[in-house]
């Protein structure tokens, strides 16, 4: 312990995060999963469809998340399984940024219902995607930390 630094109680040793975990580590428990859908501007011609497939999106401008995000990894894996690609026109680092670009009419992105900003719901539509792609949330134990331990 450093002088002048008070120990703090760490509390629970569990944390939740989006899956998959880096390095393929398995969570102690998967809490749930949210399927990814296609987020479009409400006025887009495809927004009224009941589902969308890869052929529907081939010519559409795709707003992609950064390659380091979980959602981008899930999308890239789904595209690879189908030997498909999309016409990427923008790249952003957060879902919130992508959703706002969609609301402005600059293209489409992928999202789940949980992550959508409710303030954008009047401007965008989430259409189910016929490709299996979902974001899971899991609980895992923090390595090297036990309940009741203190740290500086």
């Amino acid at each position: 312990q450093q002088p002048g630094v008070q120990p703090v109680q760490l509390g629970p040793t569990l944390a939740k995060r989006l899956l998959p975990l880096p390095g393929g580590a398995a969570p102690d428990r998967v809490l749930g999963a949210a399927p990814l859908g296609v987020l479009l501007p409400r006025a887009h011609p495809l927004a009224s469809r009941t589902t969308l497939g890869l052929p529907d999106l081939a010519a559409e401008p795709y707003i992609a998340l950064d390659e380091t995000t979980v959602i981008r990894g899930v999308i890239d894996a789904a595209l690879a399984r189908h030997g498909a690609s999309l016409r990427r026109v923008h790249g952003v680092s957060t879902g919130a940024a992508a959703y706002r670009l969609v609301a402005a009419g600059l293209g489409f992105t992928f999202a789940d219902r949980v992550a959508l900003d409710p303030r954008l719901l009047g401007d965008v539509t989430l259409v189910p995607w016929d490709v299996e792609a979902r974001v899971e949330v899991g609980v895992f134990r923090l390595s090297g930390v036990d309940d009741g331990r203190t740290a500086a």
Side-chain angles (χ1 to χ4, degrees):
Q1 180 176 336
Q2 297 177 1
V5 176
Q6 296 295 318
V8 295
Q9 190 70 25
L10 291 176
T13 62
L14 298 178
K16 66 179 180 180
R17 80 166 266 157
L18 296 175
L19 302 175
L21 294 172
D28 291 338
R29 182 175 178 192
V30 174
L31 297 176
L36 293 176
V38 180
L39 189 70
L40 294 159
R42 187 167 292 283
H44 192 285
L46 295 176
S48 62
R49 301 273 299 274
T50 55
T51 62
L52 293 171
L54 286 168
D56 300 314
L57 303 175
E60 298 296 324
Y62 171 40
I63 301 165
L65 291 176
D66 184 271
E67 294 170 344
T68 63
T69 64
V70 170
I71 289 178
R72 173 70 182 270
V74 169
I75 295 301
D76 286 353
L79 292 172
R81 283 194 314 271
H82 292 274
S85 63
L86 297 170
R87 190 171 70 91
R88 182 179 165 207
V89 295
H90 300 288
V92 296
S93 59
T94 68
Y99 308 154
R100 280 168 178 68
L101 290 177
V102 170
L106 299 176
F108 80 93
T109 195
F110 295 96
D112 65 82
R113 290 202 182 284
V114 177
L116 274 179
D117 183 342
R119 295 172 292 187
L120 296 177
L121 293 179
D123 301 320
V124 297
T125 300
L126 188 62
V127 179
W129 193 28
D130 72 0
V131 172
E132 174 63 30
R134 62 190 187 157
V135 176
E136 294 180 323
V137 177
V139 174
F140 62 99
R141 296 189 190 284
L142 297 174
S143 178
V145 179
D146 293 322
D147 284 332
R149 286 183 60 182
T150 58

